[in-house]
Amino acid sequence: MRFLLTDEQREFGRSLDALLTAADTPAVLRAWAAGDHGPGRALWGRLADAGVFALAVPEAYGGVGPLPVEAAVACVELGRHAVPGPVAETLAAGVLLAGAGGPVAEEWLPGIASGAAVVSLTLEGYGPYAPDADAADAVFTVSGDELRLAPDPGEPSASADPARRLFRPEPGGAPVAKGPALRAAARAAGDWAAFATAALVLGCGEELLRATVAYVKQRTQFGVPVGSFQAVKHRLADTLLGLEFARPLLYGAAAELASEVSRPGAGTGSAEGSPGAGAAVAAAKVTAGEAGYAAARTALQLHGAIGYTEELDLAWWLRRARPLRDAWGTPSACRARVLAG
């Protein structure tokens, strides 16, 4: 088995990095947090043109997936650049609707793949909130073996990340799909949401570490850069180790999801959410989440008082790490799933 990314996968990541570097994502984040979704939707369209959202949509519906490894590569880059919007939820919705099949899949999946549709969702067992529901074209909710289209995104709730607003969708709405197969599709979608979030928080942690290393090389104390202090070096080394140990778990989870998709009888490419893949995803999620949050704590400490200021672009990454750590599986829930799996 090959455990390294291919040249094409690495080039895909580099192309996304170049696209997002030119996009001025801090400005996009500020607009998104203020309720102006125009710049964010425009960036979403460019990411869709690069193939990001087609990675979770089967070819039968206009996508190229599911391709978990490529999705991990993409989400790490999106996390490094703090792209706003329900990224993990839209990818998970692609898996959910492919598993549901029927008219709802035919209506929404081509739009997800092309970037025309931004989707949020809630699943049983993961909390009642749909991130960025006010910016979504659809909010899907799953209860038991019924899939519903929420009639209204509902009222916003408090969020530590102002560019990742939380909504509790209004109950009701006619079922758009139902049946025993929907439960398996929802389990697979939950795995994909957790998996994509793990990649996002890993990328967030990488950017926090990069920015902090650059800062301690410039900031001086007693006439020398603070980065030359042994305690600072140790703190940064511990942060780097945490992120590096999370990376193979993320791609291990991608390999598990990929093998699940390719098994005989996988049909349209949707997975059923096996215990093995779920445990691998949970391991990646808890490790990446803790590493990303540790990177935020390190960044805040080593930046000093400037780290608390909203004017500093890094503040958007600092406020994103903790919510991503807890989204789609808290550390304690992920550890329990690893033990059970």
Side-chain angles (χ1 to χ4, degrees), residues 51-89:
V52 170
F53 302 108
L55 295 171
V57 176
E59 293 182 13
Y61 298 100
V64 296
L67 295 176
V69 177
E70 286 77 4
V73 171
C75 287
V76 168
E77 292 302 325
L78 270 60
R80 285 208 310 117
H81 290 273
V83 171
V87 172
E89 293 73 24

Side-chain angles (χ1 to χ4, degrees), residues 29-238:
L29 280 163
R30 286 185 167 87
W32 191 275
D36 178 7
H37 301 132
R41 291 294 296 251
L43 178 57
W44 193 279
R46 293 198 293 275
L47 291 170
D49 290 341
V52 170
F53 302 108
L55 295 171
V57 176
E59 293 182 13
Y61 298 100
V64 296
L67 295 176
V69 177
E70 286 77 4
V73 171
C75 287
V76 168
E77 292 302 325
L78 270 60
R80 285 208 310 117
H81 290 273
V83 171
V87 172
E89 293 73 24
T90 296
L91 292 171
V95 174
L96 173 67
L97 297 178
V104 66
E106 295 171 0
E107 179 181 359
W108 288 99
L109 285 178
I112 290 175
S114 69
V118 176
V119 176
S120 191
L121 81 162
T122 65
L123 299 173
E124 282 186 320
Y126 291 99
Y129 298 111
D132 298 305
D134 60 330
D137 299 299
V139 179
F140 291 100
T141 64
V142 176
S143 179
D145 60 359
E146 287 190 340
L147 172 66
R148 296 175 182 268
L149 185 60
D152 189 89
E155 294 298 319
S157 299
S159 174
D161 181 357
R164 189 177 185 275
R165 303 176 69 197
L166 301 176
F167 291 78
R168 187 189 292 264
E170 291 290 333
V176 292
K178 56 184 175 181
L182 190 61
R183 291 181 182 269
R187 286 195 299 271
D191 286 346
W192 267 74
F195 167 70
T197 303
L200 290 169
V201 73
L202 178 63
C204 179
E206 288 181 350
E207 175 58 19
L208 286 163
L209 178 61
R210 184 208 62 78
T212 305
V213 170
Y215 180 72
V216 299
K217 288 180 179 179
Q218 298 172 358
R219 180 184 172 192
T220 60
Q221 196 172 32
F222 309 117
V224 297
V226 297
S228 65
F229 300 160
Q230 196 74 1
V232 173
K233 291 180 179 179
H234 285 174
R235 185 68 184 265
L236 292 170
D238 289 343

Side-chain angles (χ1 to χ4, degrees), residues 228-251:
S228 65
F229 300 160
Q230 196 74 1
V232 173
K233 291 180 179 179
H234 285 174
R235 185 68 184 265
L236 292 170
D238 289 343
T239 302
L240 175 61
L241 283 174
L243 295 168
E244 289 301 316
F245 274 108
R247 191 184 318 280
L249 290 176
L250 175 68
Y251 286 107

